[in-house]
Amino acid sequence: MRDQLESIEEGGRQTVTDPTQKAREQMRRPLPKRFYNEASVGNAEGGQAFAVLLDGRVVKTPGHKTLTFPTRAMAELVAREFAEQVEVLDPAKMPVFRLANSAAEGVAENMPAVAEDLVRFAGSDLLCYRAEGPEGLVENQQRQWDPVLDWLREEVGAPFLTVSGIVFAEQPGEALGAISRHIGAYDNPFQLAAIHSMTTLTGSVMLALAVAAGRIDAEAAWWAAHVDEDWNVAQWGEDYEARKRRDTRWIEMKASSDLFHAARR
């Protein structure tokens, strides 16, 4: 059973830069068969944390650490993914488990570097680069992006500049400093990993932070991240493969948001 569990756990070893990369790699290999009857949640670390149990045995990370969570809700998300597997264990259908492994091993040991990467992302965030036209697209961007920038300016103290076109514009040090302090408040590696995942998926750390703060939900952030794409689809029609990729990434986005908010329960 240990070998089989390690096989599916290898599907969870990923970098935080691409939450779907390891799943794609895993899909090229035969999937391990489901080897357990029951997935449940139990106490760990003297009752101070929670773990996922497969027939009573604790799930571990690819690096053989016991995968523990600060809240029961987080462990329940992962246990549910294991319970939903039928004949085989498919990592592509276990996005919370993969993200949790990434958080426990990659992010937990490199939190300052991950936070710094998010601050760098804010320096060229999607929301700061606006279309010059057509008018309908400009209005859509303003309607979905401006409230997030207003929140960052008024409540986070981060006054970001917006520009038309794609020419790089350097952001004020005041804005980047404020966003750095805001991100630094997230000292939970699972939450920081979720924010990084949402940033990668949307192309915007600002949208990810708005989801984290409860200013918008994951679905609203997803629509906001695809304003330009949806405008083009409305004008020229939709590409099937592009839609399929987007739907797959939405599953990752929802999983990231769910894991983040479960850390608060």
Side-chain angles (χ1 to χ4, degrees):
M1 185 172 78
R2 181 72 255 162
D3 291 343
Q4 290 173 300
L5 184 54
E6 286 174 355
S7 179
I8 181 63
E9 285 170 349
E10 281 299 321
R13 188 194 292 275
Q14 62 182 54
T15 62
V16 293
T17 55
D18 185 350
T20 61
Q21 178 182 355
K22 199 63 183 183
R24 291 196 296 267
E25 293 175 1
Q26 181 75 13
M27 288 172 67
R28 302 189 188 105
R29 292 181 257 165
L31 297 176
K33 294 184 180 297
R34 172 169 170 158
F35 55 88
Y36 52 89
N37 294 315
E38 181 184 23
S40 60
V41 173
N43 291 328
E45 298 179 357
Q48 300 301 310
F50 301 90
V52 177
L53 308 177
L54 303 180
D55 292 341
R57 298 188 65 174
V58 175
V59 170
K60 294 187 177 182
T61 69
H64 307 293
K65 297 179 181 179
T66 298
L67 184 59
T68 60
F69 302 92
T71 70
R72 175 175 287 274
M74 297 173 72
E76 287 176 343
L77 287 175
V78 176
R80 187 177 306 128
E81 289 187 339
F82 273 101
E84 289 172 349
Q85 303 304 297
V86 183
E87 295 182 355
V88 297
L89 302 180
D90 186 352
K93 297 178 180 179
M94 304 179 74
V96 180
F97 177 55
R98 289 186 283 108
L99 182 58
N101 278 333
S102 186
E105 294 201 323
V107 175
E109 298 175 2
N110 299 280
M111 291 187 67
V114 175
E116 184 178 342
D117 190 49
L118 290 171
V119 175
R120 284 197 298 268
F121 214 107
S124 56
D125 199 275
L126 168 71
L127 270 58
C128 295
Y129 293 85
R130 304 302 179 92
E132 297 175 319
E135 183 178 351
L137 175 57
V138 172
E139 292 175 350
N140 287 349
Q141 290 178 342
Q142 291 173 343
R143 183 173 63 255
Q144 297 195 56
W145 295 356
D146 284 359
V148 175
L149 287 170
D150 290 344
W151 163 67
L152 287 170
R153 183 182 64 254
E154 296 167 6
E155 298 190 29
V156 179
F160 284 93
L161 303 176
T162 61
V163 295
S164 297
I166 59 174
V167 177
F168 175 75
E170 186 171 353
Q171 293 293 340
E174 176 187 0
L176 295 177
I179 210 78
S180 178
R181 291 188 294 274
H182 184 78
I183 293 171
Y186 292 106
D187 58 0
N188 180 315
F190 294 100
Q191 289 190 316
L192 194 61
I195 291 171
H196 198 289
S197 177
M198 289 189 287
T199 297
T200 302
L201 290 162
T202 61
S204 171
V205 67
M206 297 177 183
L207 290 175
L209 291 174
V211 173
R215 305 298 300 190
I216 57 177
D217 60 22
E219 187 172 9
W222 195 243
W223 284 109
H226 293 86
V227 169
D228 294 12
E229 180 179 319
D230 289 340
W231 176 266
N232 289 328
V233 167
Q235 308 307 309
W236 311 107
E238 187 169 46
D239 176 80
Y240 172 76
E241 291 300 327
R243 166 54 66 175
K244 190 175 179 180
R245 288 192 297 271
R246 175 165 163 176
D247 289 345
T248 298
R249 291 171 68 81
W250 161 246
I251 294 172
E252 304 284 343
M253 178 71 178
K254 180 67 163 52
S256 300
S257 174
D258 287 347
L259 184 64
F260 178 91
H261 291 296
R264 291 176 167 169
R265 300 174 194 169

